[in-house]
Coordinates of all heavy atoms in Angstrom, one line a residue:
Q1 N -12.6 -46.4 45.0 CA -14.0 -46.1 45.4 C -14.6 -45.2 44.4 O -15.8 -45.3 44.1 CB -14.0 -45.4 46.7 CG -13.6 -46.3 47.9 CD -14.6 -47.4 48.2 OE1 -15.7 -47.3 47.8 NE2 -14.1 -48.5 48.8
F2 N -13.8 -44.4 43.7 CA -14.3 -43.5 42.7 C -15.0 -44.2 41.5 O -16.1 -43.9 41.2 CB -13.1 -42.6 42.2 CG -13.5 -41.7 41.0 CD1 -14.3 -40.6 41.3 CD2 -13.1 -42.0 39.7 CE1 -14.7 -39.7 40.2 CE2 -13.5 -41.2 38.7 CZ -14.3 -40.0 38.9
F3 N -14.3 -45.3 41.0 CA -14.8 -46.0 39.9 C -16.1 -46.8 40.4 O -17.0 -47.0 39.6 CB -13.8 -46.9 39.3 CG -12.8 -46.2 38.5 CD1 -11.5 -46.1 39.0 CD2 -13.1 -45.5 37.4 CE1 -10.5 -45.4 38.3 CE2 -12.2 -44.8 36.7 CZ -10.8 -44.8 37.1
K4 N -16.1 -47.3 41.6 CA -17.3 -48.0 42.1 C -18.5 -47.1 42.0 O -19.6 -47.5 41.6 CB -17.1 -48.5 43.5 CG -16.2 -49.7 43.6 CD -16.0 -50.2 45.0 CE -15.1 -51.3 45.1 NZ -15.0 -51.9 46.5
I5 N -18.4 -45.9 42.4 CA -19.5 -44.9 42.5 C -19.9 -44.5 41.1 O -21.1 -44.5 40.7 CB -19.1 -43.7 43.3 CG1 -18.9 -44.1 44.8 CG2 -20.2 -42.6 43.2 CD1 -18.3 -43.0 45.6
I6 N -18.9 -44.3 40.2 CA -19.2 -43.9 38.8 C -19.9 -45.0 38.1 O -20.9 -44.8 37.4 CB -17.9 -43.5 38.1 CG1 -17.3 -42.2 38.7 CG2 -18.2 -43.2 36.6 CD1 -18.1 -41.0 38.6
L7 N -19.4 -46.2 38.1 CA -20.0 -47.3 37.4 C -21.3 -47.9 38.0 O -22.1 -48.4 37.4 CB -18.9 -48.4 37.2 CG -17.7 -48.1 36.3 CD1 -16.7 -49.2 36.3 CD2 -18.2 -47.7 35.0
A8 N -21.3 -47.9 39.3 CA -22.5 -48.3 40.1 C -23.0 -49.7 39.7 O -24.1 -50.0 39.4 CB -23.6 -47.3 39.9
R9 N -22.0 -50.6 39.6 CA -22.3 -52.0 39.2 C -22.8 -52.8 40.5 O -22.0 -52.9 41.4 CB -21.1 -52.7 38.6 CG -21.3 -54.0 38.1 CD -20.1 -54.6 37.5 NE -20.3 -55.9 37.2 CZ -19.4 -56.9 37.4 NH1 -18.2 -56.6 37.9 NH2 -19.6 -58.1 37.1
P10 N -24.0 -53.3 40.5 CA -24.5 -54.0 41.7 C -23.7 -55.4 41.9 O -23.3 -56.0 41.0 CB -25.9 -54.3 41.5 CG -26.0 -54.2 40.0 CD -25.0 -53.3 39.5
R11 N -23.6 -55.7 43.2 CA -23.0 -57.0 43.5 C -24.0 -58.1 43.3 O -25.2 -57.9 43.3 CB -22.6 -57.0 45.0 CG -21.4 -56.1 45.3 CD -21.0 -56.3 46.8 NE -19.9 -55.4 47.1 CZ -18.7 -55.8 47.0 NH1 -18.4 -57.0 46.6 NH2 -17.7 -54.9 47.2
P12 N -23.6 -59.4 43.1 CA -24.5 -60.5 43.0 C -25.3 -60.6 44.3 O -24.7 -60.7 45.4 CB -23.6 -61.7 42.8 CG -22.3 -61.2 42.4 CD -22.2 -59.8 42.9
A13 N -26.6 -60.7 44.2 CA -27.5 -60.7 45.4 C -27.3 -61.9 46.3 O -27.3 -61.8 47.5 CB -28.9 -60.5 45.0
A14 N -27.2 -63.0 45.7 CA -27.1 -64.3 46.4 C -25.8 -64.4 47.3 O -25.8 -65.0 48.3 CB -27.2 -65.5 45.5
L15 N -24.7 -63.8 46.8 CA -23.4 -64.0 47.5 C -23.2 -62.9 48.5 O -22.5 -63.2 49.5 CB -22.3 -63.9 46.5 CG -22.3 -65.1 45.4 CD1 -21.2 -64.9 44.4 CD2 -22.1 -66.4 46.1
Y16 N -23.8 -61.7 48.4 CA -23.5 -60.6 49.2 C -24.7 -60.0 49.9 O -24.9 -58.8 49.8 CB -22.7 -59.5 48.4 CG -21.4 -60.0 48.0 CD1 -21.2 -60.4 46.7 CD2 -20.3 -60.0 48.8 CE1 -20.0 -60.9 46.2 CE2 -19.1 -60.5 48.3 CZ -18.9 -60.9 47.0 OH -17.7 -61.4 46.6
E17 N -25.6 -60.8 50.5 CA -26.8 -60.2 51.1 C -26.3 -59.4 52.3 O -25.5 -59.8 53.1 CB -27.7 -61.3 51.5 CG -28.4 -62.0 50.4 CD -29.4 -63.0 50.8 OE1 -30.0 -62.8 52.0 OE2 -29.7 -64.0 50.1
G18 N -26.9 -58.2 52.4 CA -26.6 -57.3 53.5 C -25.4 -56.4 53.2 O -25.2 -55.4 54.0
V19 N -24.7 -56.5 52.1 CA -23.7 -55.6 51.8 C -24.2 -54.6 50.8 O -24.7 -55.0 49.8 CB -22.5 -56.4 51.1 CG1 -21.4 -55.4 50.7 CG2 -21.9 -57.4 52.1
H20 N -24.1 -53.3 51.1 CA -24.7 -52.3 50.2 C -23.6 -51.5 49.5 O -23.7 -50.2 49.6 CB -25.7 -51.4 51.0 CG -26.8 -52.3 51.7 ND1 -27.8 -52.8 50.9 CD2 -26.9 -52.6 53.0 CE1 -28.6 -53.5 51.8 NE2 -28.1 -53.3 53.0
Q21 N -22.7 -52.1 48.9 CA -21.6 -51.4 48.2 C -21.7 -51.9 46.8 O -22.2 -53.0 46.5 CB -20.3 -51.7 48.7 CG -20.0 -51.1 50.1 CD -18.6 -51.5 50.6 OE1 -18.0 -52.4 50.1 NE2 -18.2 -50.8 51.6
Y22 N -21.2 -51.1 45.8 CA -21.1 -51.5 44.5 C -19.9 -52.5 44.2 O -19.0 -52.4 44.9 CB -21.0 -50.3 43.6 CG -22.2 -49.4 43.6 CD1 -22.1 -48.1 44.0 CD2 -23.4 -49.9 43.2 CE1 -23.2 -47.3 44.1 CE2 -24.6 -49.1 43.3 CZ -24.4 -47.8 43.7 OH -25.5 -47.0 43.7
A23 N -20.1 -53.3 43.2 CA -19.0 -54.3 42.8 C -18.1 -53.6 41.8 O -18.4 -52.7 41.1 CB -19.6 -55.5 42.2
F24 N -16.9 -54.2 41.8 CA -15.9 -53.7 40.8 C -14.8 -54.8 40.8 O -14.6 -55.5 41.8 CB -15.3 -52.4 41.1 CG -14.6 -51.7 40.0 CD1 -15.4 -51.2 39.0 CD2 -13.3 -51.5 40.0 CE1 -14.8 -50.5 37.9 CE2 -12.7 -50.9 38.9 CZ -13.4 -50.4 37.8
P25 N -14.1 -55.0 39.7 CA -13.0 -56.0 39.7 C -12.0 -55.8 40.9 O -11.7 -54.6 41.2 CB -12.3 -55.8 38.4 CG -13.3 -55.2 37.5 CD -14.2 -54.3 38.4
S26 N -11.6 -56.8 41.5 CA -10.7 -56.7 42.6 C -9.3 -56.2 42.1 O -8.9 -56.3 41.0 CB -10.5 -58.0 43.3 OG -9.6 -58.9 42.5
G27 N -8.6 -55.6 43.1 CA -7.2 -55.1 42.8 C -6.3 -56.2 42.3 O -5.5 -56.0 41.4
H28 N -6.5 -57.4 42.9 CA -5.7 -58.5 42.5 C -5.9 -58.8 41.0 O -4.9 -59.1 40.3 CB -6.0 -59.8 43.3 CG -5.7 -59.7 44.7 ND1 -6.6 -59.2 45.7 CD2 -4.6 -59.9 45.4 CE1 -6.1 -59.2 46.9 NE2 -4.8 -59.6 46.8
A29 N -7.1 -58.9 40.6 CA -7.4 -59.2 39.2 C -6.8 -58.1 38.2 O -6.3 -58.4 37.2 CB -8.9 -59.4 39.0
V30 N -7.0 -56.9 38.6 CA -6.5 -55.8 37.7 C -5.0 -55.8 37.6 O -4.5 -55.7 36.5 CB -7.1 -54.4 38.3 CG1 -6.5 -53.3 37.5 CG2 -8.6 -54.4 38.2
I31 N -4.4 -55.9 38.8 CA -2.9 -55.9 38.8 C -2.3 -57.1 38.0 O -1.4 -56.9 37.3 CB -2.4 -55.7 40.2 CG1 -2.7 -54.4 40.8 CG2 -0.9 -56.0 40.2 CD1 -2.3 -54.2 42.2
T32 N -2.9 -58.2 38.3 CA -2.4 -59.5 37.6 C -2.5 -59.4 36.1 O -1.7 -59.7 35.4 CB -3.2 -60.7 38.1 OG1 -2.9 -60.8 39.5 CG2 -2.7 -61.9 37.4
T33 N -3.7 -58.9 35.6 CA -3.9 -58.7 34.2 C -3.0 -57.7 33.6 O -2.4 -58.0 32.5 CB -5.4 -58.3 33.9 OG1 -6.3 -59.3 34.5 CG2 -5.7 -58.2 32.5
T34 N -2.7 -56.7 34.3 CA -1.8 -55.7 33.8 C -0.4 -56.2 33.8 O 0.3 -56.0 32.8 CB -1.8 -54.4 34.8 OG1 -3.2 -53.9 34.8 CG2 -0.9 -53.3 34.3
V35 N 0.1 -56.9 34.8 CA 1.5 -57.4 34.8 C 1.7 -58.5 33.8 O 2.6 -58.4 33.0 CB 1.8 -57.9 36.3 CG1 3.1 -58.7 36.2 CG2 1.9 -56.8 37.2
Y36 N 0.7 -59.4 33.7 CA 0.9 -60.5 32.7 C 0.8 -59.9 31.3 O 1.5 -60.3 30.4 CB -0.1 -61.6 32.9 CG 0.1 -62.5 34.1 CD1 -0.9 -63.0 34.8 CD2 1.4 -62.9 34.4 CE1 -0.6 -63.9 35.9 CE2 1.7 -63.7 35.4 CZ 0.7 -64.2 36.1 OH 1.0 -65.0 37.2
G37 N -0.1 -58.9 31.1 CA -0.2 -58.3 29.8 C 1.1 -57.6 29.4 O 1.5 -57.7 28.3
F38 N 1.6 -56.8 30.4 CA 2.9 -56.1 30.1 C 4.0 -57.0 29.8 O 4.8 -56.9 28.9 CB 3.2 -55.2 31.3 CG 4.5 -54.4 31.1 CD1 4.5 -53.4 30.2 CD2 5.6 -54.7 31.8 CE1 5.7 -52.6 30.0 CE2 6.8 -54.0 31.6 CZ 6.8 -52.9 30.7
L39 N 4.1 -58.1 30.6 CA 5.3 -59.1 30.4 C 5.0 -59.8 29.0 O 6.0 -60.1 28.3 CB 5.2 -60.1 31.5 CG 5.7 -59.6 32.8 CD1 5.6 -60.7 33.9 CD2 7.2 -59.2 32.7
A40 N 3.8 -60.1 28.7 CA 3.5 -60.7 27.4 C 4.0 -59.8 26.2 O 4.6 -60.2 25.2 CB 2.1 -61.0 27.2
I41 N 3.7 -58.5 26.4 CA 4.0 -57.5 25.3 C 5.6 -57.5 25.2 O 6.2 -57.5 24.1 CB 3.5 -56.1 25.6 CG1 2.0 -56.2 25.4 CG2 4.2 -55.1 24.7 CD1 1.3 -54.9 25.9
L42 N 6.3 -57.5 26.3 CA 7.8 -57.5 26.3 C 8.4 -58.7 25.7 O 9.2 -58.6 24.8 CB 8.3 -57.3 27.7 CG 8.2 -55.9 28.4 CD1 8.7 -56.0 29.8 CD2 8.9 -54.9 27.6
L43 N 7.8 -59.8 26.1 CA 8.3 -61.1 25.5 C 8.0 -61.2 24.0 O 8.8 -61.7 23.2 CB 7.8 -62.3 26.3 CG 8.3 -62.5 27.7 CD1 7.6 -63.5 28.4 CD2 9.8 -62.8 27.7
M44 N 6.8 -60.8 23.6 CA 6.4 -60.9 22.2 C 7.2 -60.1 21.3 O 7.4 -60.4 20.2 CB 4.9 -60.6 22.1 CG 4.0 -61.7 22.6 SD 2.2 -61.4 22.7 CE 1.9 -60.0 21.7
S45 N 7.7 -59.0 21.9 CA 8.5 -58.1 21.0 C 9.9 -58.7 20.7 O 10.6 -58.3 19.7 CB 8.7 -56.7 21.7 OG 9.6 -56.9 22.8
Q46 N 10.3 -59.7 21.5 CA 11.6 -60.4 21.3 C 11.5 -61.7 20.6 O 12.5 -62.4 20.4 CB 12.3 -60.5 22.6 CG 12.5 -59.3 23.4 CD 13.5 -58.3 22.7 OE1 14.4 -58.8 22.2 NE2 13.1 -57.1 22.7
C47 N 10.2 -62.2 20.3 CA 10.1 -63.6 19.8 C 9.5 -63.6 18.3 O 9.1 -62.5 17.9 CB 9.1 -64.3 20.7 SG 9.7 -64.5 22.3
K48 N 9.5 -64.7 17.8 CA 9.0 -64.9 16.4 C 7.4 -65.2 16.5 O 6.9 -65.4 17.6 CB 9.7 -66.1 15.7 CG 11.1 -65.8 15.5 CD 11.8 -66.9 14.8 CE 13.3 -66.5 14.6 NZ 14.0 -67.5 13.8
S49 N 6.8 -65.3 15.4 CA 5.3 -65.3 15.4 C 4.7 -66.5 16.1 O 3.7 -66.3 16.8 CB 4.8 -65.3 13.9 OG 5.3 -66.5 13.3
K50 N 5.2 -67.7 16.0 CA 4.6 -68.8 16.7 C 4.7 -68.7 18.2 O 3.8 -69.0 19.0 CB 5.2 -70.1 16.2 CG 4.7 -70.6 14.9 CD 5.2 -72.0 14.6 CE 4.7 -72.4 13.2 NZ 5.0 -73.8 12.9
S51 N 5.9 -68.2 18.7 CA 6.1 -68.0 20.1 C 5.2 -66.9 20.6 O 4.7 -66.9 21.7 CB 7.6 -67.6 20.4 OG 8.4 -68.6 20.0
R52 N 4.9 -65.9 19.8 CA 4.0 -64.8 20.2 C 2.7 -65.3 20.6 O 2.0 -64.9 21.5 CB 4.0 -63.7 19.1 CG 5.3 -62.9 19.0 CD 5.1 -61.9 17.9 NE 6.3 -61.1 17.7 CZ 6.5 -60.1 16.9 NH1 5.5 -59.8 16.1 NH2 7.6 -59.5 16.8
I53 N 2.2 -66.1 19.7 CA 0.8 -66.6 20.0 C 0.8 -67.4 21.3 O -0.1 -67.3 22.1 CB 0.3 -67.5 18.8 CG1 0.2 -66.7 17.5 CG2 -1.0 -68.2 19.1 CD1 0.0 -67.4 16.3
I54 N 1.8 -68.3 21.5 CA 1.8 -69.1 22.7 C 1.9 -68.1 24.0 O 1.2 -68.4 25.0 CB 3.0 -70.0 22.7 CG1 2.7 -71.1 21.6 CG2 3.3 -70.7 24.0 CD1 3.9 -72.0 21.3
I55 N 2.7 -67.1 23.9 CA 2.9 -66.2 25.0 C 1.6 -65.5 25.3 O 1.2 -65.3 26.4 CB 4.0 -65.2 24.7 CG1 5.4 -65.9 24.7 CG2 4.1 -64.0 25.7 CD1 6.5 -65.0 24.2
L56 N 0.9 -65.0 24.2 CA -0.4 -64.3 24.4 C -1.4 -65.3 25.0 O -2.1 -64.9 26.0 CB -0.9 -63.8 23.0 CG -2.2 -63.1 23.1 CD1 -2.1 -61.9 23.9 CD2 -2.6 -62.8 21.7
I57 N -1.4 -66.5 24.6 CA -2.4 -67.5 25.1 C -2.2 -67.8 26.6 O -3.0 -67.8 27.4 CB -2.5 -68.8 24.3 CG1 -3.1 -68.5 22.9 CG2 -3.2 -69.9 25.0 CD1 -3.0 -69.6 21.9
L58 N -0.9 -67.9 26.9 CA -0.5 -68.2 28.3 C -0.8 -67.0 29.3 O -1.4 -67.2 30.3 CB 1.0 -68.5 28.4 CG 1.4 -69.9 27.9 CD1 2.9 -70.0 28.0 CD2 0.7 -71.0 28.8
A59 N -0.6 -65.8 28.8 CA -0.9 -64.6 29.5 C -2.4 -64.5 29.8 O -2.9 -64.2 30.9 CB -0.4 -63.3 28.8
L60 N -3.2 -64.8 28.8 CA -4.7 -64.8 28.9 C -5.1 -65.9 29.8 O -6.0 -65.6 30.7 CB -5.3 -64.9 27.5 CG -5.3 -63.8 26.6 CD1 -5.8 -64.2 25.2 CD2 -6.0 -62.6 27.1
I61 N -4.6 -67.1 29.8 CA -5.0 -68.1 30.7 C -4.6 -67.8 32.1 O -5.5 -67.9 33.0 CB -4.3 -69.5 30.3 CG1 -4.9 -70.0 29.0 CG2 -4.4 -70.5 31.4 CD1 -4.2 -71.2 28.4
F62 N -3.5 -67.3 32.4 CA -3.1 -66.9 33.7 C -4.0 -65.8 34.3 O -4.5 -65.9 35.4 CB -1.6 -66.5 33.8 CG -0.6 -67.6 33.7 CD1 0.6 -67.3 33.0 CD2 -0.9 -68.9 34.1 CE1 1.5 -68.4 32.9 CE2 0.0 -69.9 34.0 CZ 1.2 -69.6 33.3
S63 N -4.3 -64.8 33.5 CA -5.1 -63.7 33.9 C -6.5 -64.2 34.2 O -7.2 -63.8 35.2 CB -5.1 -62.6 32.8 OG -3.9 -62.0 32.7
L64 N -7.1 -65.0 33.3 CA -8.4 -65.5 33.5 C -8.5 -66.5 34.8 O -9.5 -66.4 35.5 CB -8.9 -66.3 32.3 CG -9.2 -65.4 31.1 CD1 -9.5 -66.3 29.9 CD2 -10.4 -64.5 31.4
C65 N -7.5 -67.2 35.1 CA -7.4 -68.0 36.2 C -7.5 -67.2 37.5 O -8.2 -67.5 38.4 CB -6.2 -68.9 36.3 SG -6.3 -70.3 35.1
V66 N -6.8 -66.1 37.5 CA -6.7 -65.2 38.7 C -8.2 -64.6 38.8 O -8.7 -64.5 39.9 CB -5.6 -64.2 38.6 CG1 -5.8 -63.1 39.7 CG2 -4.3 -64.8 38.7
C67 N -8.7 -64.1 37.7 CA -10.0 -63.5 37.8 C -11.1 -64.5 38.3 O -11.9 -64.1 39.1 CB -10.4 -62.9 36.4 SG -9.4 -61.5 35.9
F68 N -11.0 -65.7 37.7 CA -12.0 -66.7 38.2 C -11.8 -67.0 39.6 O -12.8 -67.2 40.3 CB -11.7 -68.0 37.3 CG -12.6 -69.1 37.7 CD1 -13.9 -69.2 37.2 CD2 -12.2 -70.2 38.5 CE1 -14.7 -70.3 37.5 CE2 -13.0 -71.2 38.8 CZ -14.2 -71.3 38.4
S69 N -10.6 -67.1 40.1 CA -10.3 -67.4 41.5 C -10.9 -66.3 42.5 O -11.3 -66.6 43.5 CB -8.8 -67.7 41.8 OG -8.1 -66.5 41.8
R70 N -10.9 -65.1 42.0 CA -11.4 -64.0 42.8 C -12.8 -64.0 42.9 O -13.4 -63.5 43.9 CB -10.9 -62.6 42.2 CG -9.4 -62.4 42.1 CD -8.7 -62.6 43.4 NE -9.2 -61.7 44.4 CZ -9.1 -61.9 45.7 NH1 -8.3 -62.9 46.1 NH2 -9.6 -61.1 46.6
V71 N -13.5 -64.6 42.0 CA -15.0 -64.6 42.0 C -15.4 -65.9 42.8 O -16.4 -65.8 43.6 CB -15.6 -64.6 40.6 CG1 -17.0 -64.9 40.6 CG2 -15.3 -63.3 39.9
Y72 N -14.8 -67.0 42.5 CA -15.3 -68.3 42.9 C -14.6 -69.0 44.1 O -15.0 -70.0 44.6 CB -15.4 -69.3 41.8 CG -16.5 -68.8 40.8 CD1 -16.1 -68.3 39.6 CD2 -17.9 -68.9 41.1 CE1 -17.0 -67.8 38.7 CE2 -18.8 -68.5 40.1 CZ -18.4 -67.9 39.0 OH -19.3 -67.5 38.1
L73 N -13.5 -68.5 44.5 CA -12.8 -69.0 45.6 C -12.7 -68.2 46.8 O -12.8 -67.0 46.8 CB -11.3 -69.4 45.2 CG -11.2 -70.5 44.1 CD1 -9.7 -70.8 43.8 CD2 -11.9 -71.8 44.5

């Protein structure tokens, strides 16, 4: 709640009519991005350069899929 008040980012009007709270990324999206990012860093430290790029791309794809699903599903 603290960050919602500080950032004061409005919700999309068409989707949340009647709701008078500020928007912020969901906990699911934040935790997923953190976990996938941390796992990617751990795996990348043990792999060679080509594998690092693949791990990074997969972590980004998974995180973006979760973030997209929180907004549109």
Side-chain angles (χ1 to χ4, degrees):
Q1 293 294 336
F2 175 74
F3 288 112
K4 286 183 181 183
I5 294 169
I6 295 296
L7 296 175
R9 181 175 174 227
R11 292 183 179 270
L15 296 175
Y16 295 99
E17 288 187 30
V19 176
H20 302 289
Q21 294 178 342
Y22 294 119
F24 200 71
S26 72
H28 294 93
V30 172
I31 290 172
T32 300
T33 302
T34 303
V35 169
Y36 285 144
F38 181 70
L39 289 174
I41 290 170
L42 286 177
L43 289 172
M44 286 174 19
S45 69
Q46 302 295 319
C47 296
K48 296 183 180 181
S49 64
K50 284 189 178 182
S51 298
R52 288 181 182 183
I53 294 170
I54 293 170
I55 291 169
L56 180 62
I57 290 171
L58 287 174
L60 287 172
I61 289 171
F62 289 145
S63 295
L64 289 173
C65 286
V66 170
C67 293
F68 179 80
S69 73
R70 299 304 305 160
V71 173
Y72 294 104
L73 297 180

